[in-house]
Amino acid sequence: MHLFAERRIYSVSEITAEIKRDLEDRYGEVWVKGEISNFRHHSSGHMYFTLKDDRAQVRAACFRGNNTYLRFRPDDGLEVLVRGRVSVYEPRGEYQLIVQYMEPVGVGSLQLAFEQLKEKLRREGLFDAAHKKPLPLLPRKVGIVTSPSGAAIRDILRILDRRNASLDVLLYPASVQGAGAASEIAAGVRYFNTRSDIDVIIVGRGGGSIEDLWAFNEETLARAVFHSVLPVISAVGHEVDYTICDFVADLRAPTPSAAAETVSGAREDLRATVRSLQHRLLGGMSLGLERRRSVLDRLALNRAFNVAPNKVRELQQRFDESTVRLKQAMLGRARELRHRSETLAARLGRVDLGRTLDRRRDALALEVRALEAALRGLVRAKQSRLELAAGKLDALSPLAILERGYAICRAAGGKIIKEAASLSPGDLLDARLARGAVECRVEKVRP
Amino acid sequence: MNIKDFESALKSLEEIVAQLEGGDLTLDRALELFEEGVKISRFCNSKLEEAQRKVEMLTRTAGGNLVETPFAAPEGDEGGAP
């Protein structure tokens, strides 16, 4: 009996609880290095996995309250260093590590997080070229999301100053680093999308470490940029810095200054394009008039033919009316330009905008002169009484009729013969052909 | 004229110029196109000149509304703080 008297009998719960207490007291907080396997991120938010090396394994759990602060996504095969407590999961009698913190081994956790998010969003198609929106040719107002005290806004405004860009700027002030920065920047992108006067958005900041730039690598900002209806230019740090935001944006500018160049750059080129189109417009019109006049000149030389005079007068009148309208349109343009240059000159007297407006006034004066020269050319072209609608005249032209094989017969007095009965055998006729004429004698009349 | 933005205006102007330069138009049509072209180029010029450079910042009022206030760039050297 006494053999049994010394026995201490535990229930399963008791022994498990005691082991748990001993283990927890014995180890407290430990650091463990191992490879993750059987990783599961439960819908409750908790993470469960096994840590292993080549000879052993230990179960591990990282509860939601701890894993939301992880900057990378744990996954099977990753080598990690974890900090946690040793404990026992009593319902299964298994000991496990309750992980409070972990970081990847070998590669920095930020770098890993960057690669992981980049891969995830790439798979979802957020970087696809098909989603890239074209930038407006001529943006009128640009919305900028950045720090009001940072280098980015300073650089952007300096470039716009230097290029004398006529472009309105609206700054949405946001923190560009630290907790909550990504959400603030994302809110700025969404805010600009609610306005109707913004043509393009720039998000960005000056250079810094990967930690400093981190807000631009966060998913919340990436999604806001992706969902922006307005085109977004990402301008983060220096040329060598690439962020997730750069990949999602419609355009990556290597620096904030480059973004400013992009939104302001096209205007001068476009001015030149419009000027050249105006000159070609005048040139094309003059050319058409010249062509018609030369056809008319050729017709006019054939005075032998009596060209439906009423029709000609009617066409002449219509042509004249059209050219008057044309002239008014062009004079209106010239007047408008002169008026604008005078207005600018007046403003120059009032506000000292310096050589900027001088330049613009000179450009306008040049434009007015070019337009006036073109106008003079057109007016000269119009002075001829013979500027008729040549195409229509061509159809009426007796030359065209003769070309088809007809002849025009005239009696000795030059009168055109329309009825056989007006002639008698023996009369002389003159028959005009397309080329040359013949003299004929009437043999027989068949009225 | 059904032109609302600079892009489509420029495109129409290019098409009109190409048609005028191509010839093969009746005089009436050519004049019609020319007048249209003059109107569009006037529109393009007005668009090119229209914006000044107003720089403003949004600030939140006590009531929580965003208002626009004039903004001047912070002082500083090239580069520097972010």
Side-chain angles (χ1 to χ4, degrees):
Chain A
M1 275 304 280
H2 86 278
L3 272 176
F4 297 101
E6 294 301 313
R7 271 184 203 164
R8 162 87 195 268
I9 299 178
Y10 293 91
S11 71
V12 172
S13 301
E14 283 166 351
I15 187 66
T16 305
E18 197 158 303
I19 290 170
K20 176 177 175 167
R21 203 164 45 242
D22 282 357
L23 277 179
E24 286 179 354
D25 290 348
R26 164 77 178 78
Y27 292 100
E29 200 174 83
V30 291
W31 288 88
V32 182
K33 189 168 86 170
E35 182 189 320
I36 295 176
S37 68
N38 295 318
F39 178 84
R40 279 193 317 118
H41 196 166
H42 196 267
S43 57
S44 62
H46 307 321
M47 292 173 173
Y48 301 99
F49 53 100
T50 305
L51 268 188
K52 63 174 189 182
D53 61 17
D54 51 356
R55 285 191 309 259
Q57 51 180 275
V58 54
R59 287 196 167 272
C62 183
F63 298 124
R64 190 177 53 193
N66 290 314
N67 69 36
T68 48
Y69 297 111
L70 296 179
R71 272 184 160 162
F72 70 107
R73 198 160 34 85
D75 207 354
D76 286 352
L78 271 182
E79 181 94 354
V80 289
L81 182 61
V82 308
R83 174 170 55 79
R85 290 177 294 105
V86 177
S87 185
V88 171
Y89 182 52
E90 290 161 278
R92 296 175 80 94
E94 287 176 351
Y95 86 94
Q96 62 178 4
L97 282 168
I98 306 299
V99 175
Q100 284 146 348
Y101 170 82
M102 68 178 128
E103 61 188 38
V105 174
V107 50
S109 60
L110 291 181
Q111 190 56 40
L112 185 63
F114 175 84
E115 296 299 338
Q116 285 175 335
L117 181 59
K118 186 177 154 194
E119 178 60 17
K120 175 181 165 190
L121 299 182
R122 189 190 62 75
R123 273 177 208 268
E124 279 187 46
L126 265 67
F127 306 158
D128 288 358
H131 297 308
K132 303 286 183 206
K133 292 173 281 295
L135 299 185
L137 209 48
L138 192 66
R140 219 185 60 75
K141 188 161 190 167
V142 55
I144 303 178
V145 188
T146 191
S147 160
S149 57
I153 188 67
R154 199 174 59 221
D155 290 352
I156 288 171
L157 293 181
R158 194 172 52 228
I159 295 292
L160 295 183
D161 265 334
R162 186 184 301 163
R163 301 190 66 128
N164 186 34
S166 29
L167 182 72
D168 291 340
V169 171
L170 185 57
L171 172 64
Y172 183 100
S175 318
V176 290
Q177 67 190 73
S183 306
E184 277 186 44
I185 302 164
V189 171
R190 283 192 295 267
Y191 168 77
F192 281 137
N193 272 279
T194 65
R195 294 180 64 113
S196 57
D197 60 342
I198 303 292
D199 299 313
V200 59
I201 299 173
I202 298 175
V203 296
R205 54 155 290 148
S209 67
I210 184 170
E211 286 84 4
D212 290 341
L213 306 185
W214 193 252
F216 293 88
N217 286 324
E218 289 192 34
E219 188 166 350
T220 171
L221 177 56
R223 300 230 175 252
V225 169
F226 181 72
H227 286 117
S228 173
V229 174
L230 298 173
V232 176
I233 300 175
S234 172
V236 183
H238 301 301
E239 266 154 73
V240 293
D241 299 320
Y242 274 84
T243 62
I244 299 290
C245 185
D246 288 335
F247 293 111
V248 189
D250 299 298
L251 182 81
R252 171 193 185 257
T255 61
S257 301
E261 302 265 358
T262 301
V263 295
S264 63
R267 195 170 294 257
E268 274 314 308
D269 294 346
L270 288 170
R271 277 204 186 95
T273 303
V274 170
R275 261 199 302 276
S276 130
L277 282 171
Q278 277 171 340
H279 288 143
R280 282 172 57 197
L281 188 67
L282 292 169
M285 193 66 222
S286 307
L287 189 69
L289 291 175
E290 287 298 326
R291 262 203 300 267
R292 287 181 170 86
R293 189 172 62 172
S294 72
V295 170
L296 287 166
D297 285 348
R298 183 165 56 77
L299 279 176
L301 292 176
N302 282 289
R303 291 191 187 280
F305 303 111
N306 185 0
V307 182
N310 290 336
K311 189 72 186 164
V312 169
R313 268 196 297 278
E314 185 196 324
L315 287 171
Q316 256 173 339
Q317 193 179 346
R318 280 176 54 197
F319 184 87
D320 287 347
E321 281 166 8
S322 296
T323 48
V324 165
R325 289 207 322 267
L326 170 65
K327 194 172 162 186
Q328 280 165 349
M330 301 200 35
L331 283 173
R333 170 83 182 123
R335 261 199 305 273
E336 184 202 355
L337 287 171
R338 208 176 285 123
H339 172 72
R340 195 185 303 149
S341 64
E342 280 161 7
T343 312
L344 282 173
R347 275 168 48 195
L348 260 179
R350 210 169 61 232
V351 190
D352 181 24
L353 292 180
R355 56 202 166 83
T356 296
L357 282 178
D358 277 339
R359 263 209 310 277
R360 197 172 290 180
R361 191 178 48 186
D362 289 349
L364 273 172
L366 268 179
E367 204 176 345
V368 170
R369 273 202 295 280
L371 208 58
E372 282 170 349
L375 190 58
R376 273 197 298 278
L378 264 180
V379 169
R380 266 203 304 281
K382 273 180 275 157
Q383 277 162 351
S384 164
R385 295 277 297 154
L386 285 167
E387 279 170 349
L388 310 176
K392 287 174 184 162
L393 267 179
D394 265 342
L396 291 173
S397 161
L399 274 183
I401 296 168
L402 296 183
E403 275 304 331
R404 303 212 300 268
Y406 294 89
I408 298 176
C409 297
R410 292 170 197 263
K415 185 165 171 284
I416 291 175
I417 299 160
K418 294 176 181 168
E419 288 173 42
S422 67
L423 294 168
S424 314
D427 283 354
L428 283 175
L429 304 175
D430 181 83
R432 178 81 194 212
L433 306 176
R435 280 171 291 279
V438 287
E439 284 185 15
C440 320
R441 189 182 298 278
V442 177
E443 294 281 344
K444 192 174 180 185
V445 178
R446 284 192 300 268
Chain B
M1 185 171 59
N2 184 24
I3 296 294
K4 55 183 196 323
D5 59 70
F6 185 83
E7 272 94 336
S8 56
L10 197 61
K11 192 156 166 283
S12 304
L13 186 55
E14 277 162 354
E15 283 164 8
I16 284 171
V17 167
Q19 280 190 63
L20 270 180
E21 288 177 337
D24 292 338
L25 297 167
T26 65
L27 186 63
D28 282 348
R29 180 70 186 136
L31 281 168
E32 217 173 87
L33 284 173
F34 178 79
E35 284 182 18
E36 177 85 1
V38 169
K39 271 187 213 148
I40 296 176
S41 65
R42 193 179 298 164
F43 172 86
C44 287
N45 277 313
S46 72
K47 281 283 160 194
L48 278 167
E49 302 302 334
E50 118 184 318
Q52 299 304 311
R53 189 152 23 85
K54 198 169 61 176
V55 179
E56 291 177 318
M57 182 169 75
L58 291 157
T59 43
R60 209 171 276 283
T61 61
N65 295 322
L66 286 171
V67 295
E68 290 149 36
T69 50
F71 177 79
E75 299 293 316
D77 302 326
E78 308 258 335

